[in-house]
Amino acid sequence: METIKDIINTLTAPEILITLATILLFVSAKYRHVFYTNTVALVLFPAMFVFMAISMFDEDFYLIVTKPDNVPIVGMLFLIPFFTWFSMREAVRNDRRTDSGTPLIEKEETADKVLTWPDLVYTELIAIVLLTVLLVGWSILIPAPLEESANPAATPNPSKAPWYFLGLQEMLVYFDPWLAGVVFPGLIIVGLMAIPYIDTNPKGNGYYTFKERSWEIMTFLFGFLILWVLLVILGTFLRGPNWNFFGPYEYWDTHKLEALVNVDLSDYFWVRLLGMGRPDNILIRESVGFLVVLGYFLIPPMVLARTIFKRFYENLGPARYHIMVFLLLCMASLPIKMVLRWLFNLKYIIGIPEFFFNI
Amino acid sequence: MSKVNPPLRAAKPGEPADAGRRSFFSWMSLAWVSFTASMLAAGTATARFMFPNVLFEPPLTFRAGRPEELQVGIVDERFKDSNQVWLVREGGGIYALSTTCTHLGCTPNWLSAEQKFKCPCHGSGFYITGINFEGPAPRPLERFAISLADDGQLVIDKGRKFQQEKGQWELPGAYLEF
Amino acid sequence: MSQLKELLTSLSPTKLGEAIQKSQIYRSVFRVGVPVSDRKRMLVMLGNVFLHLHPVKVRKSGIRLRFTWCMGGITFFLFLVLTFTGLLLMFYYRPTIEYAYVDIIDLREQVPLGIMREIHRWGAHAMVISVWLHMVRVFMTGSYKPPREFNWGVGVILLVLTLLLSFTGYLLPWDQLAMWAITVGSNMARATPFAGYEGPGANLLTLGENIPLISSTSDARFALLGGTRVGEMALLRFYVLHCVGLPLVAGFLMAVHFWRIRRDGGISGPL
Ligand code: HEM
Ligand code: FES
């Protein structure tokens, strides 16, 4: 038992968890005919349930999972995989129909028009009644959390943002607040709104399909499931005192020591590579960083337009193409910075604390 | 077939045919420009409304006892709760450290066993001098202006702060020789 | 005897119901009557201000649970629940440092039906999840594609508003959880490029030589909190935004959202 717990504790370390989840996402999409089927769901979801139930016997696991404010995240742990699985299953079914020339599931039903009263109105009524029962039951069983009265002098340890923002708080581990707290949220909003104008693929409008828009779906699912939901779960369950990582069966020890000594790119370049001191002039000191960042945003768009994104470039035209690639590069910068941190303890690519300009 | 609108009034001899319309447009543009400008002004004024002039917060300057009360090498936490300041005395003098983490503003804890300030929010660590050495904090803790009043009491002025990365810890006021 | 029998039959539920339906009051309120025929079912959808959010007839594929998961509808219902329970909470809650925390305790211990706050809080959490799932389903069915681009954009703003509503509400209990979540959250505004006093570029903005334009009492965070720290003014500001400002904007945008669903040809489906 203890060894299993230890293995799980090790596997849930951020670097391993995020890597494994990404692999799972892409592999399951590749073998979707096998993975997104009823059989898998009938095994997977009960197994998850049993796993949670057994884990409840572990004291540390129990403590973190039953915190009142964490209950919705436990729900999310099941709901989001379920609906992802469900929409992919529908997509696989529809794709099979397209292949064999039968009309789509939705298509078969579009011809029928039904009266809103009673068909829709009653569905809504039933949904409302069920939801009300659920909500009242939940409220009777679990009291809303209330801690001690606010005290500006004593920061609780750990102190966390509301759970839906824990993805952003996790980003703070890798980026400075101006990026993680302001620029990236802004880009997420702009990027989401830009989707309909960037994705000009006319197929897959109004029905489930994977084959006809696999690239869009994978990009969206990676962003939503890995870079948002998984980070929320990680921040809720696996970040403890001092924002250190704690495995699900690990005691939240306030004194757990973790080396947090990180190194800037300028240090790597001037001190470790060239063996000299860091130059005094800020611009010279950070010149490598500036080159890296500029190169990151300038070179890939040009290279991609000639290679794997050639079709995008031709279909979208330069303006939309460059906006798309810019947004994608911003999105990719988070996993890239994560990997750099895990492998090289890299703190800043450009580090100018004098002007609060750290990347 | 496109139909050209007739000019509003007959053109005088020697005048371009659509002068009437052009002057009409310039009046229009003037009107629009002033409309936009007044809207912007109103917007700015309303935005300014959200910035209060008077704050109901503790005063920025406070007295912090006599310097002899502090012991060398000990972080004094008496003013942490009330004024968000730590007083530190070392061999040559005294400085006033802000208790606000330079990362996202949580209040770090002084761990005397490990001789460091440790922030509970994201794990930044600072030496007793305020210099950051671990975690995400981008820069050292700030210091506040410290001086000696006529009655021999320490006076801390939180309105003036000194940042190490700007080289301000060398300035007078950042440090009280004692 | 027979008279009594007559009286009793006239008092029977069926008869009573008929009498009510014939009365002038009833007919003035419910123009169409009980929707028993298809004609009346259509008329009731047109005649009722709440039901006319819906079209009279819908494509079968569009209302199937497998297609919409009913997630948008659930989100909207949760919004209504939150508006109602929130209104009730406002009768007892006073947004000042002195009273906020005790009022929250009283809501559980003294006020009758002490689960109002629970319904409000859990409903808010559920709404965040349901709005995410709604977005996932709209994406997975490709329903943002023309002609629904604009409505997707409206939806994104609604998503942000949902999160902001939750966030502003988080401060109101004025406990440790609230205070520090908002401290960390609002401190990010301090780092806004140019508009926050610790944001990149802020120290380039100066008046004349040396007076900074953006300081801790003139930046984005200051406007949000109404002070330099999470205190009395911040509580009041978050209260006003949470109870009036944001719900109004969200309600207005929901009206646009629903109107556009119908203008864009109803729930999407294959062509
Ligand atoms: C407060 C939040 C929201 C409410 C109350 C809401 C409500 C609804 C409702 C009731 C529908 C009808 C179909 C259904 O139930 O799925 C709908 C459709 C739609 N929603 Fe939302 N929504 C919200 C947020 C969003 C968000 C976050 C997005 C996307 C980012 C979005 C995009 C759309 C689009 C494009 C449609 C049309 C779908 C179609 O025709 O198939 N909405 N919304
Ligand atoms: S607020 Fe101190 S480390 Fe983030």
Side-chain angles (χ1 to χ4, degrees), chain A residues 90 107 109 116 144 192 199, chain C residues 55 64 66 108 144 152 271:
Chain A
E90 295 300 295
K107 187 87 179 174
E109 290 171 341
T116 309
L192 278 175
D199 171 15
Chain C
R64 291 288 305 275
R66 70 167 276 281
R108 178 178 302 154
Y144 57 84
W152 168 270
L271 298 173

Side-chain angles (χ1 to χ4, degrees), chain C residues 33-46:
Chain C
V34 183
V36 278
S37 66
D38 279 3
R39 200 185 91 88
K40 284 190 168 177
R41 286 177 178 147
M42 291 190 198
L43 285 177
V44 79
M45 296 307 295
L46 290 171

Side-chain angles (χ1 to χ4, degrees), chain A residues 165-359:
Chain A
F165 285 146
L166 285 184
L168 296 181
Q169 199 168 349
E170 186 62 24
M171 260 202 286
L172 281 170
V173 174
Y174 304 97
F175 285 104
D176 259 23
W178 73 277
L179 283 171
V182 185
V183 174
F184 282 154
L187 280 173
I188 294 173
I189 297 169
V190 174
L192 278 175
M193 297 224 264
I195 288 178
Y197 305 97
I198 291 173
D199 171 15
T200 54
N201 175 5
K203 287 194 192 143
N205 185 345
Y207 53 95
Y208 291 102
T209 167
F210 184 81
K211 210 180 53 181
E212 293 170 11
R213 37 199 295 262
S214 53
W215 152 256
E216 295 128 271
I217 289 184
M218 285 324 284
T219 315
F220 178 80
L221 286 186
F222 177 71
F224 180 70
L225 294 179
I226 308 283
L227 296 186
W228 188 260
V229 175
L230 187 67
L231 292 192
V232 168
I233 291 171
L234 203 121
T236 314
F237 292 137
L238 306 176
R239 290 290 184 182
N242 300 330
W243 208 247
N244 280 336
F245 161 76
F246 291 85
Y249 309 110
E250 201 175 332
Y251 170 67
W252 278 21
D253 179 4
T254 342
H255 298 287
K256 175 171 179 174
L257 276 185
E258 226 174 78
L260 289 172
V261 186
N262 295 319
V263 188
D264 290 355
L265 180 65
S266 55
D267 247 331
Y268 269 118
F269 183 77
W270 299 108
V271 183
R272 308 214 178 164
L273 190 68
L274 299 186
M276 48 193 275
R278 297 200 308 168
D280 284 336
N281 185 314
I282 298 176
L283 288 181
I284 300 180
R285 185 184 79 204
E286 301 302 333
S287 53
V288 198
F290 277 113
L291 280 181
V292 170
V293 173
L294 276 181
Y296 179 69
F297 281 105
L298 291 182
I299 298 171
M302 294 192 280
V303 176
L304 290 173
R306 307 241 157 80
T307 52
I308 43 175
F309 279 3
K310 200 167 170 162
R311 280 244 314 291
F312 278 128
Y313 188 73
E314 283 157 7
N315 288 341
L316 292 177
R320 289 183 203 218
Y321 169 81
H322 281 287
I323 291 174
M324 178 186 85
V325 178
F326 174 75
L327 290 170
L328 286 177
L329 284 173
C330 289
M331 181 165 136
S333 68
L334 176 61
I336 291 178
K337 187 98 191 263
M338 286 179 168
V339 172
L340 290 176
R341 174 68 59 83
W342 300 334
L343 295 181
F344 306 110
N345 282 330
L346 184 79
K347 183 169 185 182
Y348 294 134
I349 296 172
I350 300 177
I352 313 181
E354 293 86 343
F355 289 90
F356 309 115
F357 188 79
N358 306 308
I359 293 177

Side-chain angles (χ1 to χ4, degrees), chain C residues 43-54:
Chain C
L43 285 177
V44 79
M45 296 307 295
L46 290 171
N48 183 305
V49 61
F50 304 108
L51 291 177
H52 102 285
L53 272 178
H54 290 311

